[in-house]
Amino acid sequence: MRSEFQRCIGLMSGTSMDAVDAALCRFDSSGKLLEIESTCSLEYGSKLRAALLRIQLDPDHLLSLRTMADLDQQIAGAFAECAATLIAQCSLSPADILVIGSHGQTVFHDALNLGNSLQLGNPSLIAARCGVPVVADFRRADIAAGGQGAPLVPAFHLDQFGSRAPCAVLNIGGIANLTLLDGESVTGFDTGPGNGLMDEWIQVHRAEPFDRGGSWAAQGKVVEALVTACLNDPYFASAPPKSTGRDQFNLAWLRRRYPALDQLPAVDVQRSLCELTARSISNSLLSAASGVSRIYVCGGGTANILLLESLRRHLPGTRVETTQAAGLDPLWVEASAFAWLAWRTAHGRAGNLTSVTGAGREVVLGGVFRP
C-alpha cells in the first residue's frame, strides 16, 4: 500500500465477554496512531456469552472437543461480522486495510503456573470472510520467551502516552490493569478485579448486565470486613510481573474469602465490590509509584461514576481523568492497541515489553493468517 498512512483494524473482546469491539485506525509510516477513523461494536448472543462465562468462571468444567471447536467458530464469526461491518460502514474495500489484529476471546489464562493462555476465535475464518490478513494469537510468543503473555496493552500505552510521563494508565475491564510510565521505564500488571465481580453480582441479584453508573452500589454501604477479607488474598501483595483473570476473581472466590456473603444485604455487597476494585487499584498505584500525580482511565469502568469517585477519594494527590483528556476515547483504547500491535507484527517489529510481562526478550507477537 503506497500511501502516507496505513489502515489497520483492531478487534477486542475482554474479560467482560459482552461484545466484540472493532476500531479502524490510521497509522503513519513509523507506526504512530494518527486517528481512530471509525468504530463498531457487536454484542454476543446471550447463549454464546453464557457458554463463555461458564468456561471462564469454571476453568475445570469439562467440554467436549466438538463444543470447543464450535465455540471457536462462533466467536470467529462474531469477530468477522464486526470487522466486515466496520469496513462496509466506512465504504472501504479489503484492499484498503493492511491487516486486522484479532485479540480473540480469552477463555483461560494461567501463564504463571501452567505457562498457558487460550484465546478462541479462528483467525483463518476472520481472514476469509473479510478478505484481509489477520494477526492473532498474540500471547503465546511472549509466554514462550518466559513471559506471562499479559498484559500486552502497556506497550501501546507507552507509545501513546509516553510523552505525558510521569503518569499512569488504568484500564478497567472485567479485570483492571495498570501501566506506570515514569519517563525512563515502564511497568504494568493486572491489579485484580475491575468490573467483573460487580457485573456477576448484579446479574445474579437484579438480572441486569452491569450496574449502570454505579447507581445500585451507591445505595448501599461498604462492609469493611468483606473488603478486608478480599484484600488479604495473596495476589494483591505479590510483586509484578503478574496477570490474572476472572477464572480467579469470581463469585466462587468471593464466597471462599467471605463465607457469610449471602447473609449480607445484596446492595451492600455491590457497594463493597466497587470499593474492593477502587481500593485494590489505589493500593497498587501507591505501592508501585506513589509519586504519580496523574492517571488516565480507560475501559468500560469509566462509565461507573461511583467507581471513579472512589478512586479519587483514595488517591487525593492524583488527578484522575479518562484518556479522553489525552485525545483518545476511553472505550476504544484496547481495540486500538491490537490494531497497533498488528501493525507492528506486519512490519516485523516486537510488540511486548519485557519489564511488563517478564519475558526474557522482545519478540514479534502473533501469527499472520491470510485470506
Side-chain angles (χ1 to χ4, degrees):
M1 184 181 295
R2 295 184 178 179
S3 174
E4 295 180 359
F5 65 87
Q6 293 177 320
R7 290 186 173 98
C8 301
I9 291 175
L11 296 174
M12 178 70 193
S13 179
T15 49
S16 292
M17 288 184 162
D18 52 358
V20 182
D21 291 333
L24 175 65
C25 301
R26 284 196 305 134
F27 298 95
D28 67 17
S29 59
S30 69
K32 194 71 177 177
L33 176 64
L34 298 173
E35 178 188 11
I36 300 176
E37 287 192 86
S38 188
T39 61
C40 179
S41 188
L42 176 69
E43 290 187 1
Y44 281 145
S46 58
K47 289 184 179 180
L48 175 57
R49 184 169 189 260
L52 291 172
L53 284 172
R54 278 197 301 272
I55 298 172
Q56 189 182 54
L57 299 177
D58 183 11
D60 295 322
H61 176 71
L62 294 179
L63 291 176
S64 69
L65 292 177
R66 183 184 298 276
T67 299
M68 184 68 76
D70 182 56
L71 287 173
D72 191 40
Q73 295 294 88
Q74 286 190 59
I75 293 166
F79 274 60
E81 181 181 353
C82 194
T85 299
L86 182 59
I87 293 170
Q89 76 183 25
C90 295
S91 299
L92 298 173
S93 70
D96 295 318
I97 312 299
L98 174 70
V99 71
I100 294 172
S102 176
H103 173 271
Q105 180 64 68
T106 298
V107 294
F108 180 75
H109 182 82
D110 188 4
L112 181 60
N113 298 311
L114 297 178
N116 204 353
S117 185
L118 179 61
Q119 288 74 42
L120 296 182
N122 179 359
S124 292
L125 180 62
I126 301 171
R129 291 191 179 178
C130 295
V132 179
V134 172
V135 177
D137 203 12
F138 285 92
R139 302 192 184 278
R140 290 181 194 261
D142 182 85
I143 293 172
Q148 294 193 26
L152 295 179
V153 176
F156 176 67
H157 291 164
L158 172 63
D159 188 76
Q160 191 69 25
F161 305 106
S163 62
R164 296 173 179 269
C167 66
V169 184
L170 170 66
N171 176 70
I172 307 176
I175 296 295
N177 58 72
L178 190 63
T179 302
L180 306 174
L181 306 170
D182 66 8
E184 296 181 0
S185 62
V186 185
T187 55
F189 54 92
D190 290 344
T191 62
N195 304 315
L197 283 171
M198 292 184 281
D199 290 351
E200 272 194 84
W201 188 255
I202 197 171
Q203 286 161 18
V204 169
H205 291 275
R206 295 180 64 125
E208 297 175 14
F210 58 91
D211 187 5
R212 192 174 301 276
S215 59
W216 186 43
Q219 300 172 38
K221 64 178 184 294
V222 174
V223 181
E224 286 293 338
L226 171 58
V227 177
T228 299
C230 291
L231 289 174
N232 283 336
D233 186 289
Y235 181 84
F236 297 110
S238 62
K242 60 180 181 178
S243 57
T244 188
R246 289 178 69 180
D247 52 317
Q248 176 173 351
F249 291 107
N250 52 46
L251 292 190
W253 169 85
L254 189 62
R255 289 191 166 89
R256 289 195 299 272
R257 301 304 305 177
Y258 197 84
L261 182 70
D262 293 318
Q263 298 174 22
L264 300 173
V267 68
D268 290 350
V269 174
Q270 187 74 6
R271 178 68 181 86
S272 301
L273 294 177
C274 184
E275 181 71 7
L276 170 63
T277 292
R279 207 175 294 183
S280 59
I281 291 168
S282 60
N283 288 349
S284 296
L285 182 64
L286 293 172
S287 174
S290 59
V292 169
S293 60
R294 176 171 291 187
I295 181 169
Y296 296 105
V297 190
C298 58
T302 57
N304 190 321
I305 297 169
L306 180 64
L307 177 55
L308 293 185
E309 289 176 350
S310 298
L311 279 171
R312 293 185 176 104
R313 187 176 69 254
H314 289 298
L315 298 167
T318 303
R319 184 171 181 174
V320 179
E321 54 192 354
T322 76
T323 55
Q324 192 66 62
L328 197 58
D329 189 318
L331 297 181
W332 298 102
V333 172
E334 287 221 314
S336 300
F338 282 91
W340 179 82
L341 286 168
W343 186 97
R344 295 190 66 82
T345 298
H347 290 82
R349 300 186 187 182
N352 62 331
L353 291 176
T354 59
S355 61
V356 171
T357 67
R361 66 185 187 280
E362 293 185 350
V363 291
V364 178
L365 300 177
V368 180
F369 301 79
R370 303 191 182 280

